């Protein structure tokens, strides 16, 4: 019997799930890649098997049993709340994680490794924050936004899972705000528009991580079998004003008092999509200490400044040459290429 | 940033090769010069230029024992704090930066961070929120000079009738930080800040409603009105004395230190500073002429 890894990737149709599946497909040490999501994938995949599930992953225990996966990469946590309702966030992040962990802890499961992609949103953003959060720092303000609460709850579930299942290696990667040419986040949208929202009078320091560094970090943690919580973020922080200047946009000052109210009409008109946690971030910023993962041997390709510059340069190309054509998943085509005897598979 | 990507550990090059060619140009070309603490040397220079005439001609600051501040390595500067909107912090920071050419990071209440405009200026000018992790990183990792006022808002909010009587030094947190960071504590006593903005009365209830520690009524407000009085200082003569550095005889980087040891050291420093203040007052002929 082969000794290759059997992987399950949740959130396959998110940018992260898709990119990770592409990566693990290429890895000869990975025998099987199963991807799960409620929507069809958005990137071209080779040998990944796509399973459509509902958003709470209720079929997971069957799937884990049937596929005998040993590694689960939970890339399906929603961290951008501007596109989802509070209910969906809770179902997806909390109930989805609960079902995932339950299936991994089931008696007949062969799961030995669970890697979860979380976010530095769990630290919040408040005036009492330290300049750099370490993995064991506590947040200084109660979590008020639905996305932060759901992520905290999901991490609590993982903590309990770790205690109850000492045989399973579990790692949580808390990623800082990600920038990348293929990824749309609340902040990347803010840097793409003609004007960039700023909270008047505040110039917070933000930290970013490049999208490929996140992919590499997840692969690194899977390959090394690391356990515990890790911050994933580029070195250094940059003031929002400097980031905006790098992107070459004009500021759109928002009132420093009653900011949420000031944003409301703009968001109703669809001019601005800023989640409450993003508004707090644009006021106080956030920095996380990335030394724990670096001490484990990981090397970032991009600093915060490098990630911002890389993103800005990619946007310039995109503006001139147009964005890359979007991929569309056709189940018949995919089934043909995967299972038809007519397809000649080149020897590995 | 890795200085040389070829030097990545060989074990990662197989499976974890970066997909895109990492860009070859240096990533550190920055548009601004704001450091991780929010300090900008450019802004700091502008502030120094603006504050310089005030420092020299209005407050006529006089230093004593400036050489006792270490020329290199981290040190925790501890000073007394007074005057509703205290000017002692900029005076000490300005003096040390001008004379020693070393940056000073001033720790202050989180309150500043929630002030629009003022809070940003405060951070660009060398202010850092007083979080123990921040102080430790500045002192231990970066070996900087860090200025802290252990009395906190209890010092600045005290009435003119209580002038130059040191308040409680918090819970001795500053001693613990210096112990952990393995740096000396340099006590500094300042004369003049009490007279530059005498606090006649204060309301903590009004302050609580506004989210401030207190709302003061100062002599400056009575003289110059409620708005101009916030920034118009009386021309008190400033005298700053640096006391002998205190080297805490404990191993750094411990998980915790004996509480009694911490409190004893804090109290000892407080008494020395109180003695020094009384000594300086004894020698002072006039609050305005020195």
């Amino acid at each position: 019997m082969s000794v290759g890894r059997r992987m399950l990737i949740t959130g396959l149709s998110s940018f992260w799930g898709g990119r990770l599946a592409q990566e693990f497909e290429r890895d000869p040490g990975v025998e099987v890649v199963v991807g799960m999501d409620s929507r069809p994938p958005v990137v071209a995949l080779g040998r990944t098997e796509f399973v459509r599930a509902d958003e709470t992953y209720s079929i997971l225990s069957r799937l884990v049993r049937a596929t005998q996966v040993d590694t689960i990469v939970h890339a399906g946590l929603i961290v951008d709340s501007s596109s989802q309702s509070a209910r969906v966030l809770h179902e997806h992040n909390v109930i989805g994680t609960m079902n995932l962990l339950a299936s991994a802890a089931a008696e007949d499961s062969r799961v030995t490794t669970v890697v979860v992609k979380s976010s530095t949103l769990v630290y919040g953003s408040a005036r009492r924050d330290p300049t750099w959060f370490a993995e064991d720092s506590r947040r200084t303000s109660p979590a008020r936004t639905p996305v932060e609460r759901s992520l905290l709850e999901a991490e609590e579930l993982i903590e309990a899972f770790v205690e109850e299942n000492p045989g399973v290696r579990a790692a949580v990667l808390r990623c800082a705000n990600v920038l990348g040419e293929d990824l749309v986040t609340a902040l990347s949208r803010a840097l793409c528009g003609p004007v960039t929202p700023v909270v008047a009078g505040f110039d917070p320091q933000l930290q970013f991580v490049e999208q490929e560094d996140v992919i590499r970090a997840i692969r690194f943690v899977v390959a090394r079998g690391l356990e515990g919580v890790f911050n994933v973020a580029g070195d250094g922080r940059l003031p929002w004003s400097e980031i905006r200047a790098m992107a070459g946009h004009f500021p759109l000052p928002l009132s420093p008092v009653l900011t949420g109210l000031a944003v409301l009409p703009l968001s109703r008109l669809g001019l601005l999509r800023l989640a409450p946690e993003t508004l707090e971030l644009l006021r106080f910023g956030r920095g996380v200490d990335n030394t724990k993962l670096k001490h484990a041997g990981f090397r970032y390709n991009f600093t915060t400044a490098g990630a911002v510059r890389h993103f800005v340069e990619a946007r310039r190309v995109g503006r001139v040459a147009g964005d890359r054509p979007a991929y569309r998943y056709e189940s018949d085509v995919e089934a043909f290429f995967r299972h038809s005897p007519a397809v000649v598979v080149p020897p590995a | 940033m890795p200085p040389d990507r070829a030097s990545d550990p060989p074990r990662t090059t197989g499976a974890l090769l970066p997909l895109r060619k990492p860009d070859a140009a240096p990533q550190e070309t920055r548009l601004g010069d704001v450091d991780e603490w929010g300090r900008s040397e450019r802004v700091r220079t502008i502030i120094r230029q603006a504050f310089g005439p005030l420092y020299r001609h209005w407050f006529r600051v006089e230093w004593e024992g400036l050489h006792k501040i270490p020329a290199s390595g981290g040190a925790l500067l501890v000073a007394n704090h007074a005057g509703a909107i205290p000017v002692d912090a900029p005076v000490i920071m300005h003096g040390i930066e001008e004379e020693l050419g070393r940056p000073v990071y001033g720790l202050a209440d989180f309150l500043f961070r929630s002030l629009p405009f003022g809070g940003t200026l405060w951070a660009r000018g060398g202010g850092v929120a007083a979080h123990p992790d921040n102080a430790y990183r500045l002192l231990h990792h970066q070996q900087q000079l860090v200025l802290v006022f252990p009395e906190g808002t209890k010092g600045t909010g005290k009435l003119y009738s209580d002038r130059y009587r040191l308040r409680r030094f918090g819970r001795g947190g500053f001693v613990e930080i210096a112990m952990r960071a393995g740096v000396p504590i340099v006590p500094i006593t300042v004369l003049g800040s009490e007279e530059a903005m005498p606090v006649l009365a204060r309301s903590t209830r009004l302050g609580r409603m506004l989210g401030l520690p207190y709302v003061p009524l100062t002599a400056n407000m009575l003289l110059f009105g409620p708005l101009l009085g916030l920034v118009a200082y009386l021309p008190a003569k400033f005298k700053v004395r640096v006391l002998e550095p205190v080297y805490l005889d404990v191993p750094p980087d411990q998980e915790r230190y004996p509480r009694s040891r911490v409190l004893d050291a804090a109290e000892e420093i407080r008494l020395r500073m109180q003695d020094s203040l009384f000594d300086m007052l004894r020698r002072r002929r006039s609050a305005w002429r020195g």
Side-chain angles (χ1 to χ4, degrees), chain A residues 252-275:
Chain A
L252 170 70
L254 307 170
S255 157
V257 288
L258 303 173
T259 314
L261 212 61
V263 170
L264 203 62
L266 292 170
S267 57
R268 280 288 157 81
L269 289 170
L271 298 174
L272 206 60
R273 268 162 67 192
L274 284 178

Side-chain angles (χ1 to χ4, degrees), chain B residues 5-235:
Chain B
R5 288 190 191 85
S7 70
D8 273 10
R11 51 187 183 275
T12 65
T13 50
L16 299 166
L17 210 72
L19 266 186
R20 270 188 207 98
K21 200 171 113 314
D23 45 358
Q27 296 184 7
E28 296 307 313
T29 37
R30 293 261 316 262
L31 294 176
D33 69 333
V34 178
D35 72 3
E36 62 183 288
W37 307 106
R39 180 191 173 103
S40 157
E41 262 343 293
R42 227 175 282 162
V43 175
R44 188 69 210 145
T45 307
I46 295 170
I47 292 176
R48 266 205 302 272
Q49 279 164 357
F51 191 67
L54 215 62
Y55 177 89
R56 280 189 299 274
H57 305 300
W58 193 259
F59 297 124
R60 296 150 288 145
V61 182
E62 213 173 84
W63 281 79
E64 193 184 325
L66 199 60
H67 62 276
K68 290 174 190 159
I69 294 172
S72 64
L76 186 61
L77 314 175
V78 172
N80 59 313
H81 210 20
I85 299 163
V87 75
D88 39 22
V91 162
I92 294 171
M93 288 167 77
H94 183 93
I96 293 173
E97 292 191 357
E98 291 281 283
E99 301 293 332
L100 298 182
R102 285 193 72 178
V104 181
Y105 288 85
L107 296 187
D109 195 86
F110 298 98
L111 183 74
F112 280 95
R113 287 195 69 190
S114 36
L115 287 181
F117 302 103
T120 306
L121 187 68
W122 169 73
R124 295 291 172 271
V128 176
H131 192 286
D133 291 356
N134 290 351
Y136 176 74
R137 198 179 169 96
L138 275 164
L139 288 167
H140 183 265
H141 297 357
Q142 305 181 353
Q143 296 287 308
Q144 299 280 9
L145 294 178
V146 175
L147 172 66
V148 69
F149 299 98
E151 292 171 274
T153 52
K154 293 190 299 299
T156 53
K158 70 176 179 292
L159 300 180
Y160 188 64
S161 51
D162 288 329
R163 61 188 180 279
Y164 300 118
R165 263 181 260 163
L166 290 177
R167 307 282 104 175
R168 178 164 61 82
F169 270 17
R171 277 164 272 176
F174 73 100
V175 172
E176 212 168 330
I177 293 291
M179 284 177 166
R180 267 178 67 204
V183 298
I185 293 176
V186 184
I188 296 175
T189 47
V190 188
L191 232 53
S193 44
E194 302 268 17
E195 288 84 3
M197 192 174 275
V199 181
L200 304 178
R202 62 161 191 266
S203 164
T204 41
R205 185 183 294 176
L206 206 61
R208 210 173 303 139
M209 285 196 291
L210 293 168
L212 301 168
Y214 54 84
V215 170
L217 175 71
T218 63
N220 311 52
M221 287 178 184
L222 296 183
L223 284 171
F224 307 114
L227 285 180
L228 192 61
L230 293 175
V231 289
Y233 289 93
L234 302 179

